[in-house]
Amino acid sequence: SFSAITVASSQCSITGIPLVRNISEIPQDNYGRAGLSHITVAGSLLHGMKEVEVWLQTFAPGTHTPIHRHSCEEVFVVLKGSGTLYLASDSDGKYPGKPQEHFIFPNSTFHIPVNDAHQLWNTNKHEDLQFLVVISRPPVKVFIYEDWSMPHTAAKLKFPYYWDEQCYQTPPKDEL
Amino acid sequence: SFSAITVASSQCSITGIPLVRNISEIPQDNYGRAGLSHITVAGSLLHGMKEVEVWLQTFAPGTHTPIHRHSCEEVFVVLKGSGTLYLASDSDGKYPGKPQEHFIFPNSTFHIPVNDAHQLWNTNKHEDLQFLVVISRPPVKVFIYEDWSMPHTAAKLKFPYYWDEQCYQTPPKDEL
Ligand SMILES: [Zn+2]
Ligand SMILES: [Zn+2]
C-alpha cells in the first residue's frame, strides 16, 4: 500500500537522521531469526557509510549465527555475557573442517581472519550475549554453510544480508 | 639499549597475540597527552588489520582532541560520560570556520563526515568520557589545525599518529 511504501522509504533514507543518535532509540529487530536483536548503529544503507559499518547485537541463550564466511574484516567487542566462537582457520582446504573453539567473555575482543568460516553461539544458558560488531566494505556479502564439511564452493551467498534486505536497492547494471 | 629494542619489537609483533583478548589487559597509554587513555583494541600495526581499526579511549574532564581532519571514515560509540563534539561541516571553504556544537552522551553514536574538521571535548567536569572509535583505512593520517580559522592547506600532517609512532615502520620507497 502507499503508506507501507512511505514508511519503508523513510526508514531507508539517510536524510534527516540526526548526527548524534541515541542507540537506545534506534529500532531493533530480529529479522526473522528467533533470539536475535540487531541494531545497525552506523550503516551503509541507513547512514551512508562507505567503508565501515557498526552493529549492536544481542543473542538470547542458545542463539547462534549461521556458519559463514566473508571477505571483509570483522571485529567484535563483547559488552555482556559469554559464549563460544567456532573458527575454522584452514580456508585453503576444500571445506572448513572441524572448527577451533574460543571462549568469549565480557570486555573481550577478537577479529575474524578474512574468509575463515566461523560461527558465534551464546552457549551461556543464563545470560544474553551482547557485542558490537565492526565490518569493513559494507554492505556485507555473506556465504553460508549448512555444516563444517560443506565445500567452500557450495556455500550459499546471502546478499543482501538479513538487516540490509529492506533498504538495499539493486545498483544499476553499469555499476555491477 | 638492546633490551629496550627487544621490548619495543615484541610489542609491535603481531605473532603470538591470542585471538580472543581481554581488553582490560591490553596496555593503555596517554602517548604524551595528559588526561588521555588510549587502547588499540584491534589495530593495523599491532594486530594486522588492513581495513578497520578499533580504539577504546578515555578522556579525563577537560581533555580534548586537537582540531583535526582525516579522509577516513570514523564512528564513535559513547560508553560512559558526556561531552561536546565540535564539527565544522563546510569543508568547501578555505578554513573550517565556526564549528557546530553537538552534545554527546552515554549510549550515543555519531560518525564524522570524511574530511570535516572536528574536535571532541570532555566538557563534563565530574566524569570521564569513554568511547569506542572505529576508523577505516588504518593507520590514520591526521591533519591538525591550530584553530578553526587556520586554512585547510596550512593544517599539519601528523603521521604516524601518536599511538602508531612506536610500531610504524617506513614502507620501502616503491610502496609510497
Ligand atoms: Zn562474520
Ligand atoms: Zn577524528
Side-chain angles (χ1 to χ4, degrees):
Chain A
S1 76
F2 180 72
S3 69
I5 289 168
T6 308
V7 169
S9 72
S10 72
Q11 281 173 348
C12 297
S13 166
I14 65 171
T15 57
I17 290 180
L19 183 74
V20 180
R21 303 181 292 278
N22 187 338
I23 295 175
S24 326
E25 292 171 4
I26 301 177
Q28 62 87 28
D29 202 309
N30 70 10
Y31 298 94
R33 284 166 49 181
L36 169 71
S37 159
H38 170 96
I39 293 171
T40 298
V41 170
S44 162
L45 304 174
L46 290 174
H47 310 104
M49 306 303 298
K50 291 185 164 63
E51 299 176 342
V52 296
E53 193 162 288
V54 180
W55 310 328
L56 176 64
Q57 295 189 327
T58 310
F59 282 35
T63 304
H64 57 89
T65 69
I67 303 170
H68 69 286
R69 73 164 198 267
H70 36 69
S71 63
C72 65
E73 291 190 340
E74 184 172 41
V75 179
F76 290 81
V77 174
V78 179
L79 302 176
K80 283 184 216 165
S82 60
T84 307
L85 163 67
Y86 297 90
L87 179 69
S89 291
D90 183 18
S91 50
D92 295 339
K94 288 215 159 70
Y95 56 90
K98 190 176 157 50
Q100 286 205 298
E101 298 183 21
H102 302 268
F103 180 65
I104 63 174
F105 50 89
N107 217 29
S108 68
T109 184
F110 52 93
H111 66 269
I112 307 297
V114 163
N115 283 320
D116 278 3
H118 58 285
Q119 182 179 39
L120 271 165
W121 275 82
N122 181 352
T123 41
N124 178 325
K125 290 187 180 121
H126 306 289
E127 247 190 301
D128 283 354
L129 170 64
Q130 186 177 57
F131 40 73
L132 283 162
V133 188
V134 175
I135 61 150
S136 62
R137 286 182 281 123
V140 69
K141 287 132 210 106
V142 173
F143 288 86
I144 296 182
Y145 298 79
E146 275 167 32
D147 55 58
W148 298 97
S149 54
M150 179 180 245
H152 295 306
T153 51
K156 206 170 154 191
L157 176 64
K158 170 82 178 138
F159 183 80
Y161 209 50
Y162 300 96
W163 34 88
D164 292 330
E165 280 181 332
Q166 192 189 350
C167 297
Y168 182 76
Q169 310 215 332
T170 312
K173 269 250 168 83
D174 59 17
E175 284 185 31
L176 280 174
Chain B
S1 74
F2 179 73
S3 70
I5 290 170
T6 309
V7 169
S9 72
S10 71
Q11 283 174 348
C12 295
S13 167
I14 64 170
T15 57
I17 291 179
L19 182 75
V20 180
R21 302 181 292 278
N22 187 337
I23 296 177
S24 325
E25 293 171 4
I26 301 177
Q28 62 87 27
D29 201 310
N30 68 12
Y31 298 94
R33 284 166 48 181
L36 169 71
S37 160
H38 170 97
I39 293 172
T40 298
V41 170
S44 162
L45 305 174
L46 291 174
H47 310 105
M49 306 302 299
K50 291 187 164 64
E51 300 176 341
V52 297
E53 193 162 287
V54 180
W55 309 329
L56 176 64
Q57 296 189 325
T58 311
F59 282 34
T63 303
H64 56 88
T65 68
I67 303 168
H68 70 285
R69 75 165 197 267
H70 36 69
S71 63
C72 65
E73 291 190 340
E74 185 173 40
V75 179
F76 289 81
V77 174
V78 179
L79 302 176
K80 283 186 217 166
S82 60
T84 307
L85 163 67
Y86 297 90
L87 179 68
S89 291
D90 183 17
S91 51
D92 295 339
K94 288 213 158 71
Y95 55 91
K98 190 175 156 50
Q100 287 205 297
E101 298 181 23
H102 302 269
F103 180 65
I104 63 174
F105 50 90
N107 218 26
S108 67
T109 185
F110 52 93
H111 67 267
I112 308 297
V114 162
N115 283 320
D116 278 3
H118 58 286
Q119 181 178 41
L120 272 165
W121 276 80
N122 182 352
T123 41
N124 179 327
K125 290 188 179 119
H126 306 289
E127 247 190 300
D128 284 354
L129 170 63
Q130 186 176 57
F131 40 73
L132 283 163
V133 188
V134 175
I135 62 151
S136 62
R137 286 184 281 123
V140 69
K141 288 130 208 108
V142 173
F143 288 85
I144 295 181
Y145 298 79
E146 276 166 30
D147 54 57
W148 296 98
S149 53
M150 180 180 242
H152 294 304
T153 51
K156 208 173 152 187
L157 177 63
K158 170 84 177 135
F159 184 80
Y161 209 49
Y162 299 96
W163 35 87
D164 292 330
E165 280 182 332
Q166 191 190 350
C167 298
Y168 182 76
Q169 309 214 333
T170 312
K173 268 248 169 83
D174 58 19
E175 286 187 28
L176 279 174

